[in-house]
Amino acid sequence: MSTQFATAQQSTLRSAADSLGIDIGVAVDDNLLQNDSTYRNVISEQFNSVTAENGMKMETVQPSQGNFDFSQGDRLVQFAQQNNMSVHGHTLVWHSQSPNWVQNLSGAEMEQAMVDHITTTMNHFEGDVDSWDVANEVVENGQLRNSFWLQGIGSDYIETAYSAARQADPGADLYLNDYSIDGINSKSDRYYQLAQDLTSQGLLDGMGFQAHLILGQVPGDMEQNLQRFADLGLDVRVTELDVRIDMPASQQELQQQADDFERVVNICTNIADCSGVTVWGLRDGDSWVPDTFDGQGAPLLYNDDYSTKPAYDAVLAALGGSQPPPPTETTEPPGTTEPPPPSGDCSAVIEVVNDWGSGWQANVSVTGPTDGWTLSWNWPGSQGISSSWNADITESGSSVTASDVGWNGSIASGQTQQVFGFIGSGPAVEPSVTCSAG
Ligand code: G2I
């Protein structure tokens, strides 16, 4: 058996990222967090970092002057703490999703309001939010964006914001963040200057690259670009990754998308100071993309029924998680031939790993020898499978069959691999399973 196969034990994005010491994050929608237990469950199983998709933005946090509402952020922080995840804060100073009242101020009043917002928000989350996108999307057309902030306060507003942030929570990492700066271009060049400037004053810790990408268009110089920021002494981070496709997406496009995701994750793992990759939403239907780009969609790792897409497998593989054993790699001395694939005697076990009342999650492991497996079992009662990953499942009445999806089919004699998982409905059970090899 290949040595790589024997060591590829990380079967979730999270466990794989944990073993690399980097974040694999997801943007979280507050409504789904409150109301969808499968959503919560998949996120806590697969990700070790979260970002509020909207819940920590200024219009949410301070809808009228001096009235702070941290309820969405608090919910996210609580979820993160319960599940031992880090929190990346997004965002304090942005031209979009800012309340009207602040846009109507000017000069010293606007500056004071900006500083107050940063100070109160960061003080509130001190110790709970690890890093912040302090200013978001402040460059446009190679120069500082002509936002209400720039008009109201003047060009030193960015430095003022980062000074206030540094004072408010000296323990938090302070990031700049923007889109279309993934490769080397006039916009990322302007950020390079800004980053040098803030870094020289000790006001910046990280550079965030949103990476809202179009299928097949990971910039060829993305790694070089991130590396030049890392060389300033900064952490770099892919903060809002998605890869949009003209709908409907073909199998070939989904495979291209998988390659794009894999490339981006590889870029991060190739750079020592890349703190992680965050995907901008869990399921395709949760994404902002279809609302914004007519006819485009399917930009994320999960389908709407929580089944995984090829891009999920690619990210897992890029993080060094479970993947197909390379066909040529072997511990046999060169020149000997592989033994024929084992044909019999596999066994399998279903283990319930989480039960939240309205649903439950089980992981399934198979013990070899087998080169391909089909498992079958019967539900004792009203159980069913509402979603699954890494297996082809057929349910008919109370009987279920599950078979491998290719890369997770081969298991050496005596070796046990966690091969797939599912979300069950009805009362949680662990029925006995028959395993057929081949
Ligand atoms: O636009 C994509 C992202 C670009 N970088 C900064 C991110 O903060 C931004 O995220 C998106 C969210 O994904 C959307 O969910 O920011 C949008 C606002 O600019 C968010 O959309 C807004 C909708 O436009 C509103 O209609 C909606 O009420 O989300 C709001 C809250 O659900």
Side-chain angles (χ1 to χ4, degrees):
M1 204 14 87
S2 74
T3 45
Q4 164 143 10
F5 190 42
T7 56
Q9 300 289 339
Q10 311 299 345
S11 61
T12 62
L13 303 183
R14 175 177 190 154
S15 58
D18 281 345
S19 64
L20 295 177
I22 65 170
D23 286 347
I24 183 76
V26 60
V28 174
D29 177 84
D30 181 61
N31 252 317
L32 291 165
L33 185 69
Q34 289 188 72
N35 298 317
D36 184 336
S37 55
T38 308
Y39 182 82
R40 287 196 295 276
N41 194 56
V42 172
I43 288 179
S44 60
E45 186 198 49
Q46 296 289 338
F47 297 90
N48 59 13
S49 172
V50 285
T51 301
E53 185 174 0
N54 290 295
M56 292 191 190
K57 292 172 178 173
M58 191 174 185
E59 71 175 9
T60 308
V61 167
Q62 200 183 169
S64 63
Q65 189 162 14
N67 293 317
F68 286 82
D69 178 357
F70 295 117
S71 52
Q72 292 195 31
D74 288 345
R75 254 191 300 276
L76 187 65
V77 163
Q78 189 190 26
F79 174 73
Q81 289 175 349
Q82 282 166 351
N83 294 290
N84 197 21
M85 302 161 126
S86 66
V87 180
H88 181 77
H90 175 81
T91 175
L92 297 162
V93 181
W94 190 24
H95 62 276
S96 179
Q97 289 180 295
S98 288
N100 285 334
W101 66 262
V102 75
Q103 304 188 42
N104 294 333
L105 303 176
S106 61
E109 282 184 14
M110 185 187 281
E111 181 172 303
Q112 191 58 51
M114 179 185 78
V115 168
D116 287 347
H117 181 72
I118 291 168
T119 306
T120 306
T121 306
M122 287 185 71
N123 282 342
H124 177 84
F125 290 113
E126 187 166 4
D128 297 330
V129 169
D130 304 273
S131 48
W132 277 100
D133 296 331
V134 176
N136 189 45
E137 301 173 5
V138 296
V139 169
E140 193 181 36
N141 300 325
Q143 45 194 323
L144 292 187
R145 180 188 287 272
N146 192 19
S147 66
F148 72 86
W149 295 112
L150 182 77
Q151 289 169 17
I153 304 176
S155 61
D156 58 356
Y157 84 95
I158 297 173
E159 194 182 307
T160 306
Y162 281 81
S163 299
R166 185 62 94 211
Q167 266 188 304
D169 182 356
D173 283 340
L174 308 183
Y175 278 71
L176 271 168
N177 189 51
D178 211 327
Y179 59 87
S180 300
I181 57 164
D182 314 302
I184 297 178
N185 54 40
S186 61
K187 191 171 181 182
S188 62
D189 284 349
R190 183 66 188 86
Y191 269 105
Y192 188 72
Q193 273 178 28
L194 193 54
Q196 276 180 314
D197 191 21
L198 290 170
T199 305
S200 70
Q201 301 174 67
L203 295 176
L204 194 67
D205 306 299
M207 187 69 217
F209 303 82
Q210 293 182 8
H212 292 295
L213 298 175
I214 296 169
L215 186 71
Q217 296 189 20
V218 180
D221 53 9
M222 183 166 175
E223 183 168 341
Q224 198 190 337
N225 186 43
L226 269 60
Q227 187 64 57
R228 69 171 168 158
F229 285 88
D231 290 343
L232 293 175
L234 297 171
D235 284 344
V236 294
R237 186 178 184 93
V238 177
T239 49
E240 304 185 10
L241 179 60
D242 48 31
V243 178
R244 55 187 187 265
I245 303 180
D246 283 333
M247 297 301 282
S250 67
Q251 276 311 313
Q252 197 190 348
E253 287 170 318
L254 292 172
Q255 194 48 55
Q256 172 68 54
Q257 180 182 55
D259 294 347
D260 292 346
F261 269 94
E262 183 165 8
R263 175 75 194 123
V264 172
V265 174
N266 281 332
I267 288 169
C268 183
T269 59
N270 286 346
I271 297 177
D273 292 317
C274 183
S275 61
V277 175
T278 290
V279 291
W280 203 243
L282 186 64
R283 296 168 301 174
D284 285 343
D286 304 331
S287 169
W288 69 294
V289 165
D291 298 337
T292 309
F293 300 98
D294 224 14
Q296 298 183 54
L300 296 170
L301 303 181
Y302 281 81
N303 295 304
D304 293 349
D305 64 358
Y306 292 104
S307 58
T308 55
K309 296 168 59 190
Y312 169 94
D313 296 337
V315 170
L316 182 60
L319 292 170
S322 293
Q323 52 190 304
T328 52
E329 198 184 339
T330 171
T331 54
E332 307 279 329
T336 59
T337 43
E338 283 270 333
S343 59
D345 294 320
C346 60
S347 60
V349 169
I350 294 177
E351 188 193 3
V352 175
V353 292
N354 199 352
D355 180 0
W356 53 94
S358 56
W360 43 284
Q361 185 195 326
N363 290 339
V364 182
S365 28
V366 170
T367 303
T370 183
D371 189 25
W373 42 262
T374 299
L375 312 184
S376 50
W377 68 89
N378 289 309
W379 296 124
S382 60
Q383 288 80 8
I385 291 184
S386 43
S387 67
S388 67
W389 48 95
N390 300 340
D392 288 329
I393 301 228
T394 314
E395 281 191 285
S396 163
S398 63
S399 72
V400 187
T401 57
S403 47
D404 67 270
V405 288
W407 59 264
N408 59 356
S410 285
I411 295 165
S413 183
Q415 193 183 358
T416 301
Q417 291 269 323
Q418 193 179 298
V419 284
F420 77 97
F422 63 85
I423 304 294
S425 58
V429 284
E430 294 178 338
S432 60
V433 182
T434 306
C435 181
S436 323

